[in-house]
């Protein structure tokens, strides 16, 4: 009897050990997993580090630039002469050239890119798309320096053939036209994505009311995709503003405040490329001015990118 | 708005065109539609036309005619017999009669002429006596279709010159090192520099980009800290916000012009980290490269440039893996990392690789950041390591295009062909690799 009672007590004691009062259902901490997760977060942080570094570097050297007695903020933004060797630091000529070239580029790229996008999404058969899509991708994949070569050795001679000698060898028109070709694929692909995302029911309804294909495309599909198209155009514009190689090769190396596209004028990117290619010594005014111009360029493109994102968010038509 | 309503109002009360008018209205509208379709098609075809013009432009410059002028004609030297048929003694005799004694003495000192082979002697005669010199460069179209005109022009300017066909793109051009003489120049150093830069950029940006993509896709909604304590909750919250920030940030970074990355590289990698990127820290002290403008700086800059695109394309590939696979893996008791490493990554790998190779092939064509960080445009030595000076193909193209002489334009065009072939083969590799990995997954 006593043995039995003892055995039972032992059994109970054993049970009490194996079945705890509360069960901890939380994930067991694993050191290996935590380390891996930390490493992955660090990878993600590299992108934040990049942004911080860009902003820091641009601001630091720009502050040094503006701290120089030879240059003032007012002069920088309102001066009409950019001649660092004689202490003339008015950034307007550079900004103006960038603007002229980007505008010419947009005049080429918006109709062309939109035309391609509408044709591909509304008209083209599966087979035609199979042929035309790679063409656009090829255009997008060609390095910009090749477009620069094209502008200088092909487009400029043609322009000089048409308009005569009023076109200088380095001119904004040729650079603008070729930058336009360069950003056309961006507008075409982004707009085509937006157009393809418009639900088919809208097209069917329009056809049902007796509209022709063109009327449907231009009055129903394009307005429905307008936010995407607009965003694509702005992204392309930002790309045109930041484009370097074409303008460095074809637009010339002389800061020039003019609206005449036949003249040569240096853009912001062209200036940065020319000065840094000449190997300026650290701390010189030339060196610092690169950063000031770069900061302005960074803000312009950032503003354009943010604007494109806002437009997509605010004006997107949501269909279900 | 008001004109719109005026136009639509009468129709809604029943005055739609009828009969003949309706038919006319419809056919008119359809005609207009056809016209616009034509315009749209034309704008698309314009893209093809531009591609063709680009190809024509490059081929036209990379091949063509040259006007070659000899100081002494071969026939005059040998009385009309070709050099190859002459005996060694005759070749030596030609050298001795035509070269100045000082040059001859130098040659003898290097190695006696009598000991040299016939080929060597012919080379010397070509180089020292005949001295072919390119005096004019003609494009392919001029050479093929305008022959009489350019011949007349050449006869006027260089009476003794003659026109030959010249392919600027040749095996010699690919394997020769750089030279300041466009006829002698080659692009071996530039090709090696480009490939070196490509591999380095891939080694840096691939792990970083895929790591960040895994974090954003798989771990973003994790709560690694204890939710029951306020500190843990705060930490989890902060982590979530940062993830959101990283995503917005990546989008914005992808829109930053490449030349800004160049400025970043110049200030950080070339200047601030000069001790590291020039190799001085590791005892690699080469005075010519100790300025930080090395291939390592370039690779780091390029990695930051392509990182956003690598992350975005990797994210898309990871997102495309069906979540049922993850759930099955968790159900079998795998941990998160085991699931990611053994299930998600192998499935996403074809997509990740394609996206990454395409992104990095963009870096191969980039020129602006390298100009800014100050890559050399003229070097004759091949890149030898992380800390060597370097040049790349696009930089050579830029440098040659910006010179006024037509010879340089011709070799720029030839280099462009090489660059485009390199890019196309990279893209083809990406596609083949993807297909191969996909087929492998299906078969197992």
């Amino acid at each position: 009897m006593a043995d039995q009672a003892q055995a039972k007590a032992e059994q109970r004691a054993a049970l009490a050990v194996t079945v705890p009062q509360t069960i901890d259902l939380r994930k067991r901490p694993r050191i290996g997993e935590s380390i891996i997760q930390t490493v992955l977060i660090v990878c993600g942080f590299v992108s934040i580090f990049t942004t911080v570094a860009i902003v820091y570097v641009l601001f630091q050297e720009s502050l040094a630039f503006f701290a120089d007695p030879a240059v003032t903020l007012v002069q920088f933004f309102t001066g009409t002469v950019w001649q660092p060797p004689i202490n003339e630091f008015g950034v307007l000529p550079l900004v103006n050239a960038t603007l002229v070239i980007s505008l010419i580029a947009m005049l080429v790229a918006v109709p062309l890119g939109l035309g391609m996008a509408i044709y591909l999404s509304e008209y083209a058969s599966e087979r035609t798309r199979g042929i035309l899509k790679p063409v656009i991708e090829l255009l997008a994949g060609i390095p910009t320096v090749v477009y620069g070569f094209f502008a200088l050795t092909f487009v400029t001679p043609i322009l000089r053939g048409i308009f005569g000698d009023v076109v200088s060898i380095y001119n904004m028109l040729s650079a603008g036209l070729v930058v336009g070709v360069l950003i056309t694929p961006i507008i075409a692909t982004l707009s085509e994505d937006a157009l393809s995302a418009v639900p088919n029911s809208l097209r069917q309804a329009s056809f049902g009311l007796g509209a022709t294909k063109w009327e449907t495309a231009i009055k129903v599909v394009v307005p429905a995709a307008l936010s995407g198209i607009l965003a694509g155009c702005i992204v392309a514009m930002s790309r045109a503003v930041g484009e370097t190689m074409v303008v460095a090769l074809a637009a010339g190396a002389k800061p020039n405040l003019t609206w005449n596209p036949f003249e040569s004028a240096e853009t912001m990117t062209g200036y940065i490329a020319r000065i840094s290619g000449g190997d300026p010594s650290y701390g010189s005014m030339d060196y610092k001015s690169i950063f000031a111009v770069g900061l302005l360029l960074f803000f312009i493109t950032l503003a354009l990118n943010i604007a494109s994102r806002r437009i997509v968010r605010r004006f997107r038509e949501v269909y279900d | 708005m008001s004109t719109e309503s005026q136009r639509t109002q009468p129709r809604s009360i029943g005055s739609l065109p009828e009969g003949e008018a309706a038919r006319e209205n419809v056919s008119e509208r359809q005609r207009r539609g056809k016209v616009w379709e034509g315009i749209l098609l034309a704008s698309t075809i314009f893209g093809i036309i531009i591609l063709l013009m680009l190809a024509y432009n490059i081929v036209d410059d990379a091949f063509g005619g040259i006007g070659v002028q000899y100081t002494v004609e071969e026939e005059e030297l040998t009385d009309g017999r070709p050099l190859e048929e002459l005996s060694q003694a005759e070749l030596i005799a030609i050298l001795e009669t035509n070269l100045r004694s000082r040059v001859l003495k130098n040659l003898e000192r290097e190695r006696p002429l009598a000991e040299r082979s016939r080929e060597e002697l012919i080379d010397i005669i070509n180089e020292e006596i005949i001295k072919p010199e390119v005096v004019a460069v003609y494009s392919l179209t001029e050479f093929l279709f305008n022959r009489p005109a350019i011949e007349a022009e050449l006869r006027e300017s260089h009476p003794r010159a003659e026109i030959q066909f010249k392919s600027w793109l040749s095996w010699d051009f690919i394997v020769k090192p750089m030279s300041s003489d466009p006829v002698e120049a080659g692009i071996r150093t530039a090709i090696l520099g480009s490939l070196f830069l490509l591999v380095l950029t891939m080694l840096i940006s691939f792990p970083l980009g895929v790591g960040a993509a895994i974090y954003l896709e798989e771990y973003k909604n994790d709560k690694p800290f204890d939710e029951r304590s306020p500190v843990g909750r705060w930490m989890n919250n902060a982590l979530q916000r940062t993830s959101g920030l990283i995503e917005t940030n990546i989008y914005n970074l992808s829109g930053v012009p490449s030349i800004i990355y160049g400025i970043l590289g110049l200030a950080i990698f070339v200047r601030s980290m000069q001790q590291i990127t020039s190799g001085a820290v590791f005892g690699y002290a080469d005075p010519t490269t100790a300025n930080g403008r090395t291939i390592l700086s370039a690779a780091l800059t390029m990695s930051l440039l392509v990182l956003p695109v690598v992350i975005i394309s990797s994210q898309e590939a990871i997102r495309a893996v069906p979540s049922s696979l993850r759930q099955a893996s968790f159900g079998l008791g795998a941990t998160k990392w085991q699931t990611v490493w053994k299930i998600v990554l192998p499935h996403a790998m074809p997509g990740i690789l394609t996206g990454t190779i395409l992104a990095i092939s963009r870096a191969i064509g980039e020129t602006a950041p390298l100009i800014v960080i100050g890559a050399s445009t003229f070097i004759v030595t091949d890149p030898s390591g992380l800390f060597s000076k370097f040049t790349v193909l696009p930089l050579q193209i830029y440098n040659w295009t910006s010179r006024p002489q037509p010879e340089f334009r011709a070799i720029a065009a030839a280099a462009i062909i090489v660059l485009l072939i390199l890019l196309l083969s990279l893209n083809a590799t990406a596609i083949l690799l993807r297909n191969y990995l996909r087929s492998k997954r299906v078969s197992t």
Side-chain angles (χ1 to χ4, degrees):
Chain A
M1 276 305 267
D3 277 359
Q4 264 184 356
Q6 203 186 348
K8 251 185 191 167
E10 269 174 13
Q11 237 175 358
R12 218 172 283 142
L15 270 177
V17 170
T18 50
V19 183
Q21 300 291 266
T22 57
I23 306 172
D24 191 356
L25 287 172
R26 272 178 304 155
K27 200 164 65 177
R28 243 192 307 151
R30 291 171 199 270
I31 294 181
E33 297 269 319
S34 308
I35 292 174
I36 286 167
Q37 191 163 353
T38 320
V39 170
L40 294 176
I41 293 180
V42 170
C43 290
F45 262 98
V46 170
S47 80
I48 293 202
F49 156 77
T50 310
T51 314
V52 172
I54 288 177
V55 173
Y56 171 76
V57 161
L58 288 177
F59 264 103
Q60 192 204 21
E61 295 289 341
S62 299
L63 280 180
F65 174 74
F66 288 117
D68 196 283
V71 56
T72 61
L73 262 180
V74 178
Q75 188 209 5
F76 185 72
F77 284 111
T78 58
T80 54
V81 182
W82 180 266
Q83 292 280 335
I86 55 162
N87 280 344
E88 288 282 355
F89 297 100
V91 82
L92 277 183
L94 302 182
V95 174
N96 180 69
T98 302
L99 211 65
V100 171
I101 287 176
S102 305
L103 282 181
I104 298 173
M106 291 305 275
L107 284 180
V108 175
V110 169
L112 212 57
L114 259 183
M116 286 181 185
I118 296 176
Y119 186 80
L120 282 178
S121 93
E122 303 300 312
Y123 285 91
S125 64
E126 211 45 53
R127 235 184 83 225
T128 339
R129 276 174 63 93
I131 301 168
L132 292 177
K133 265 260 165 173
V135 171
I136 296 180
E137 278 160 16
L138 262 178
L139 275 177
I142 291 172
T144 53
V145 70
V146 179
Y147 280 113
F149 178 85
F150 182 61
L152 187 64
T153 66
F154 191 81
V155 179
T156 302
I158 287 182
L159 290 178
R160 281 166 72 88
I162 296 173
F163 298 106
D165 275 346
V166 285
V167 185
S168 41
I169 292 187
Y170 299 106
N171 63 80
M172 292 193 280
L173 182 59
S174 153
L177 291 176
V178 174
V179 171
V181 171
L182 188 142
I183 60 174
T184 299
I186 299 175
I187 296 187
T189 41
L190 290 179
S191 305
E192 204 222 325
D193 287 347
L195 291 171
S196 308
V198 173
N200 251 334
S201 53
L202 265 76
R203 295 188 186 89
Q204 314 287 1
S206 170
F207 290 143
L209 288 170
T212 62
K213 207 159 192 177
W214 166 250
E215 286 163 349
T216 306
I218 211 68
K219 291 189 178 155
V220 176
V221 184
V222 169
L226 201 59
S227 71
I229 292 173
L230 224 64
C233 291
I234 294 178
V235 167
M237 176 87 182
S238 123
R239 193 58 209 284
V241 168
E243 171 47 42
T244 311
M245 294 324 295
V246 176
V247 297
L249 281 171
K254 189 182 74 191
N256 184 0
L257 184 65
T258 174
W259 285 96
N260 183 357
F262 293 151
E263 279 185 41
S264 106
E266 188 167 50
T267 65
M268 293 192 279
T269 50
Y271 174 75
I272 297 173
R274 174 166 65 91
I275 295 301
S276 53
D279 209 357
S281 55
Y282 302 138
S284 67
M285 229 22 204
D286 269 351
Y287 180 78
K288 286 184 239 167
S289 70
I290 296 175
F291 290 83
V293 176
L295 184 65
L296 190 60
L297 181 67
F298 177 72
F299 273 126
I300 294 175
T301 52
L302 188 69
L304 287 171
N305 282 326
I306 291 176
S308 86
R309 237 190 168 185
R310 281 273 165 81
I311 285 174
V312 171
R313 269 208 209 124
R314 171 130 3 135
F315 301 108
R316 180 161 53 195
E317 314 255 342
V318 182
Y319 302 100
D320 280 313
Chain B
M1 206 61 219
S2 66
T3 55
E4 193 76 9
S5 62
Q6 273 166 12
R7 221 189 308 136
T8 50
Q9 214 180 14
R11 287 189 185 176
S12 63
I13 53 171
S15 64
L16 282 169
E18 279 169 31
E20 196 54 37
R23 212 170 304 137
E24 239 169 59
N25 170 298
V26 169
S27 61
E28 161 66 20
R29 278 161 54 211
Q30 272 171 347
R31 200 183 53 77
R32 211 180 304 144
K34 280 273 173 259
V35 170
W36 276 106
E37 182 179 351
I39 293 174
L40 291 180
L41 183 60
S43 73
T44 318
I45 288 174
F46 192 64
I48 300 179
I49 293 174
I50 288 174
L51 265 185
L52 290 178
M53 286 197 295
L54 201 68
Y56 161 77
N57 176 218
I58 294 166
V59 170
D60 193 35
D61 276 338
F63 304 94
I66 45 171
V68 182
Q69 179 169 304
Y70 300 109
T71 318
V72 183
E73 288 291 336
E74 196 180 306
E75 283 78 19
E76 283 175 36
L77 275 180
T78 60
D79 300 325
R81 288 160 61 199
L83 271 179
E84 285 74 21
E85 282 178 15
L86 296 180
S87 70
Q88 191 161 15
E90 280 171 305
L91 289 171
I92 293 176
I94 289 175
L95 278 172
E96 279 169 352
T97 48
N98 286 287
L99 282 181
R100 273 174 299 162
S101 58
R102 198 164 48 85
V103 182
L104 257 180
K105 235 179 252 167
N106 277 342
L107 282 172
E108 287 279 359
R109 204 181 307 137
E110 263 175 45
R111 228 171 81 202
L113 286 179
E115 284 177 22
R116 299 187 186 221
S117 68
R118 278 185 59 220
E119 284 73 30
E120 219 174 320
L121 290 174
I122 292 174
D123 279 349
I124 295 175
I125 292 177
N126 271 327
E127 247 170 63
E128 296 291 333
I129 305 173
I130 298 179
K131 276 190 197 160
E133 189 189 356
V134 177
V135 289
V137 177
Y138 301 104
S139 69
L140 191 60
T141 357
E142 281 177 318
F143 180 73
L144 290 181
F145 304 114
N146 211 2
R147 198 67 175 276
I150 58 173
E151 268 171 359
E153 186 197 296
L154 190 66
R155 227 172 289 129
E156 209 151 279
S157 58
H158 298 90
R160 288 190 298 112
E162 54 187 62
I163 290 183
Q164 291 177 356
F165 175 75
K166 167 90 176 168
S167 160
W168 294 93
L169 176 67
S170 63
W171 185 246
D172 265 0
F173 178 67
I174 292 173
V175 296
K176 268 194 197 162
M178 205 64 60
S179 163
S180 53
D181 175 10
V183 183
E184 289 295 309
I187 49 171
R188 189 183 72 212
T189 40
I191 293 178
L192 287 176
S194 273
L195 292 177
F196 210 128
L197 185 61
L198 172 83
V199 172
L200 268 184
T201 307
M202 201 173 278
L203 285 180
I204 299 170
S205 64
F206 185 76
L208 274 179
V210 176
I214 293 175
Y215 177 75
L216 289 175
E217 285 305 309
E218 302 288 330
Y219 287 90
K220 198 174 70 179
N221 296 321
D222 256 25
K223 291 186 170 133
F225 299 102
D226 196 345
E227 269 291 291
R228 288 171 304 183
S229 76
V231 180
R233 266 203 300 277
W234 185 84
M235 296 278 275
N236 281 335
N237 220 337
L239 209 58
Q240 297 251 305
R241 282 220 196 117
T242 345
S243 314
L245 190 66
I246 291 177
E247 286 207 312
T248 331
N249 187 40
I250 287 170
Y251 179 85
N252 283 334
L253 270 185
S254 66
V256 172
S258 59
I259 197 163
I260 301 280
Y261 283 95
I263 294 181
L264 174 73
L266 175 67
I268 302 262
F269 300 129
V270 174
R271 206 179 149 204
S272 304
M273 289 166 56
Q274 197 182 73
Q275 293 299 313
I276 300 173
T277 50
S278 66
V281 172
F282 311 104
Y284 184 94
D286 182 346
T288 58
T289 57
N291 53 10
R293 298 171 193 275
T294 57
I295 207 160
L296 179 64
S297 301
L300 287 168
T301 311
M302 281 301 187
S303 301
L304 291 187
L305 171 69
V306 297
L307 202 55
V309 193
V310 173
I311 294 176
I312 290 171
S313 58
S314 304
Q315 264 183 294
E316 269 161 21
I318 291 173
R319 210 175 296 151
V321 177
S323 63
S324 56
L325 288 174
R326 293 186 188 91
Q327 251 108 62
S329 170
F330 290 141
L332 288 170
T335 63
K336 188 127 197 168
W337 176 246
Q338 283 168 339
T339 307
V340 169
W341 185 247
K342 298 235 166 91
I343 306 294
V344 177
L345 270 186
H347 261 86
M349 208 30 99
I352 292 178
L353 277 179
T354 325
T356 313
I357 294 178
L358 289 182
I360 293 174
S361 75
R362 221 191 87 193
I364 279 295
E366 275 296 348
T367 326
L370 296 180
I371 294 178
V372 177
I373 68 166
S376 340
T377 46
F378 185 86
I379 51 167
V380 284
T381 50
D382 297 339
S384 56
L386 285 180
F387 310 115
S388 62
K389 284 199 290 187
F390 72 103
T391 183
V392 291
L393 268 176
L395 212 59
Q396 283 310 317
I397 295 168
Y398 167 66
N399 186 21
W400 285 334
T401 308
S402 57
R403 297 191 192 198
Q405 300 94 324
E407 294 94 328
F408 282 108
R409 182 206 279 194
I411 54 175
I416 285 176
I417 295 181
V418 176
L419 176 66
L420 290 181
I421 290 174
L422 197 69
L423 276 178
L424 277 182
S425 47
L426 259 177
N427 289 5
T429 314
I431 291 163
L432 288 179
L433 198 66
R434 184 184 58 192
N435 292 348
Y436 170 71
L437 285 175
R438 280 213 182 127
S439 66
K440 218 172 108 190
R441 285 214 68 77
V442 170
S443 64
T444 48

